[in-house]
């Protein structure tokens, strides 16, 4: 399965003759994002004891404390305009609070490895959204690469240990 995922990733990387070179900063950010994604799953699993949306509320509050000061520093007090605050709150609700709340519900009921499979669908959903909403075009190789990564994730669950299963929380 690792070989299938690695093949998919290799197909996505511009390693062939291409005008698009890999940016070392981008590689670093991608690796950092992967690390935080893994930590999100691990720590998310540890917050299942919290009632309702407390884990999501705590995460959103922490993120706001980290990001808002940087935004104010960068954009100045214009960022504090009521219309921008309203747009920011709606965006936070639709892009983070609701999806993360649903993910916390899922983390309570399914094993982390199966949750990882569901998360591996996000690149495909993002690609389809890009095609539909942004009129982007993906090559056959890019679609094949996405298929390989998702297939590897599904295969790792199907071939994984039975010990990885958990009893759903009532």
């Amino acid at each position: 399965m690792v070989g299938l995922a690695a093949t998919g990733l290799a197909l996505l990387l511009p390693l062939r003759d291409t005008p698009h070179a890999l940016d070392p900063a981008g590689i670093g950010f991608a690796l950092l994002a992967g690390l935080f994604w893994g930590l999100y799953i691990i720590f998310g699993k540890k917050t299942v004891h919290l009632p309702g949306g407390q884990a999501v509320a705590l995460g959103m509050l922490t993120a706001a404390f980290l990001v808002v000061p940087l935004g104010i520093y960068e954009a100045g007090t214009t960022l504090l305009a009521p219309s921008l605050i309203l747009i920011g709150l709606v965006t936070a609700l639709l892009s983070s609070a609701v999806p993360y709340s649903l993910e916390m519900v899922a983390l309570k009921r399914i094993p982390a490895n199966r949750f990882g499979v569901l998360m591996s669908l996000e690149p495909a959903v993002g690609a389809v959204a890009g095609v539909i909403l942004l009129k982007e075009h993906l090559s056959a190789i890019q679609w094949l690469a996405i298929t390989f990564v998702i297939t590897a994730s599904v295969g790792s669950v199907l071939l994984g240990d039975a010990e990885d299963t958990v009893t759903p929380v009532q």
Side-chain angles (χ1 to χ4, degrees):
M1 291 301 128
V2 173
L4 191 58
T7 302
L9 292 174
L11 288 172
L12 288 174
L13 293 173
L15 300 175
R16 299 163 300 283
D17 261 347
T18 177
H20 308 289
L22 291 176
D23 179 12
I27 293 170
F29 284 128
L31 292 172
L32 192 61
L35 170 70
F36 284 121
W37 179 71
L39 291 173
Y40 167 74
I41 293 174
I42 291 167
F43 288 118
K45 204 66 168 154
K46 293 184 184 296
T47 64
V48 296
H49 68 283
L50 295 174
Q54 285 184 359
V56 174
L58 183 61
M60 295 293 291
L61 186 62
T62 303
F65 278 125
L66 293 172
V67 174
V68 169
L70 294 173
I72 293 171
Y73 173 78
E74 204 52 44
T77 56
T78 347
L79 191 62
L80 300 175
S83 62
L84 287 180
I85 290 176
L86 180 62
I87 290 170
L89 289 173
V90 169
T91 302
L93 183 67
L94 295 176
S95 69
S96 298
V98 171
Y100 291 153
S101 295
L102 295 173
E103 286 179 1
M104 288 298 119
V105 170
L107 273 170
K108 285 183 181 183
R109 290 174 169 72
I110 61 176
N113 63 342
R114 286 194 175 79
F115 181 78
V117 169
L118 292 174
M119 296 298 287
S120 74
L121 297 175
E122 286 185 357
V125 171
V128 170
V131 168
I132 293 170
L133 300 173
L134 303 174
K135 308 294 185 234
E136 291 183 355
H137 301 283
L138 296 178
S139 69
I141 289 178
Q142 290 169 319
W143 284 112
L144 182 64
I146 290 169
T147 302
F148 280 178
V149 172
I150 292 171
T151 302
S153 295
V154 171
S156 71
V157 168
L158 294 176
L159 300 175
D161 281 335
E163 295 173 9
D164 289 340
T165 59
V166 296
T167 305
V169 176
Q170 301 295 329

